[in-house]
Structures are given as structure tokens and as C-alpha cells.
Amino acid sequence: DIQMTQSPASLSASLGETVTIECRASEDIYNGLAWYQQKPGKSPQLLIYNANSLHTGVPSRFSGSGSGTQYSLKINSLQSEDVASYFCQQYYDYPFTFGSGTKLEIK
Amino acid sequence: EVKLLESGGGLVQPGGSMRLSCAASGFTFTDFYMYWIRQPAGKAPEWLGFIRNKANGYTTEYNPSVKGRFTISRDNTQNMLYLQMNTLRAEDTATYYCAREGATEGPDWFAYWGQGTLVTVSS
């Protein structure tokens, strides 16, 4: 199985700041990577697919980058509604696997 | 608007069976791969499996963690997705989600998710 190592596990930042979440795959996943946001008590929602493509309706302050085994999600100008957990997920190979998540809070 | 609505969760005893349903609307159901994903409370999601679209013969793939116990099926006349779960264990306790793939070339990302249904396996 491809292991997805996500960091940090938790993150606290101020409104308006820029934050970055990292995800490392145990082998090359050839940009087969998605990022999801999950607000408390809600289902996960897609933010980014194919490592850097923004899903319909997602604010442009979210962006994804990376290649090979290293990927990142950047949130510019942090807003209060961005408080959530964020998960990366690879769909390059079965079984599809998720990172352990990053919990984002506002300072 | 894409909508997915799961049902059928609840309390089941260890060793028991349960079937979850997912009602889909707002898109051409037969064009898309459909997924089941679960998430124990406070943990990361886990992909369980998928069923392919019409163009790919509605065949299935499963996570080895549930292969042989869980079965995914679909009723394309009713736009329904199902997850049959057998020989349930305490570690199967989780919120179960259905999801739709992003493009029609699957398998790929989980573009749309339902609200989830909670399954609790306990005596």
C-alpha cells in the first residue's frame, strides 16, 4: 500500500496568514493526489484534484502543488471559515489511501 | 446539483450484517464510478471500494481490508448504490459515505460526498 505522511498534525494561524500543509507519499504517485476539507460534523469536501486543479466553487485562496512524492496545500489569506481538518489522498494505486489529517485552528 | 443521500446505518451486533444504501441524483448515474468510504470518529477516512460505470461493465474493486466481507452493487434503474456488509466487527464502527468520482474516466478523486450514515457494531 502507498503510505501518505501528512504534516503537521495540527496548525494554529492568525486570520489573513498563509498556511501550508504537506503530504509525502511512500512512492511516486504521479500527481494522483487530492485534498479535502472537513468541517466539524460534516462530510469531507473536495478542494484540489490532480495535485493542482481547483474543484468547482472552491475559493482561489486554496492552491495545490507538488510532484513525485511531495505535495502541498496552501491557503492564502486565512479566513475564519477555513477552520477544519484537511486530508490528502492518493488515487494513483489501489488501495486508495489518505493522510492522517491536519487540524487547522485560528489563533 | 449532485446529491448523494446514504441510509441504512444503525446498531448491529458483532458478526451481524447490514446493507447501506445511497440515493443519487443530479447527474447521469450510469456514467460515473461510485465509491464507498468510511471514517471512524476522530480518524482519517478509509476507502472501501468502488463500482465502475456502464462503459466499464459495472465491475468492482475493494480495499483488501474489507474484501470478502463487503460487497458493492448498484441499481441503475433506481440510481441507487449499495454496500452489503457481512461478519461485522467492532472495528467496522464508523460513519460510512458514498461518493462520486470527479470525471467519467475513473477511478479518480472523490468529487461529491453524501452526508454519511453511522454504523455502530456493538453487543
Side-chain angles (χ1 to χ4, degrees):
Chain A
D1 298 4
I2 297 176
Q3 306 302 314
M4 304 300 293
T5 303
Q6 191 174 335
S7 62
S10 62
L11 185 54
S12 183
S14 301
L15 294 175
E17 270 193 52
T18 294
V19 299
T20 300
I21 299 168
E22 306 281 349
C23 196
R24 184 181 78 249
S26 58
E27 60 186 81
D28 196 329
I29 57 172
Y30 299 94
N31 283 18
L33 183 104
W35 289 96
Y36 302 89
Q37 177 192 64
Q38 186 174 30
K39 296 183 178 181
K42 301 294 186 182
S43 58
Q45 299 296 306
L46 177 68
L47 296 173
I48 301 286
Y49 62 95
N50 289 345
N52 56 25
S53 295
L54 199 65
H55 183 52
T56 305
V58 175
S60 59
R61 64 178 183 276
F62 291 90
S63 63
S65 64
S67 63
T69 61
Q70 300 276 0
Y71 299 87
S72 61
L73 172 71
K74 186 164 75 170
I75 310 172
N76 290 317
S77 302
L78 193 64
Q79 306 292 307
S80 57
E81 60 262 34
D82 299 334
V83 169
S85 292
Y86 293 83
F87 297 95
C88 61
Q89 177 245 332
Q90 69 81 18
Y91 48 89
Y92 173 70
D93 195 17
Y94 312 147
F96 300 154
T97 47
F98 287 83
S100 55
T102 296
K103 188 173 183 180
L104 176 59
E105 299 177 332
I106 302 295
K107 274 185 191 172
Chain B
E1 181 190 4
V2 174
K3 289 187 178 180
L4 300 169
L5 184 63
E6 302 92 341
S7 60
L11 178 65
V12 60
Q13 292 192 336
S17 297
M18 179 174 278
R19 188 176 85 154
L20 305 182
S21 301
C22 171
S25 62
F27 61 98
T28 303
F29 187 62
T30 54
D31 283 350
F32 290 89
Y33 287 47
M34 297 295 298
Y35 300 96
W36 284 100
I37 301 144
R38 69 182 177 186
Q39 186 177 28
K43 296 188 176 182
E46 177 188 24
W47 168 74
L48 299 178
F50 66 74
I51 186 163
R52 293 180 172 87
N53 57 9
K54 180 179 181 180
N56 290 281
Y58 302 128
T59 54
T60 53
E61 296 289 342
Y62 296 95
N63 191 322
S65 66
V66 300
K67 191 172 183 179
R69 293 194 303 128
F70 289 12
T71 301
I72 298 173
S73 61
R74 59 195 297 167
D75 180 341
N76 298 300
T77 64
Q78 300 290 324
N79 288 0
M80 294 291 295
L81 177 72
Y82 301 103
L83 179 67
Q84 176 66 43
M85 304 184 292
N86 297 329
T87 320
L88 284 162
R89 309 163 180 163
E91 53 265 36
D92 295 317
T93 295
T95 296
Y96 284 72
Y97 298 99
C98 65
R100 198 204 82 177
E101 66 162 339
T104 57
E105 302 166 352
D108 53 45
W109 53 96
F110 311 138
Y112 300 95
W113 298 59
Q115 90 291 344
T117 187
L118 178 62
V119 173
T120 303
V121 184
S122 175
S123 54

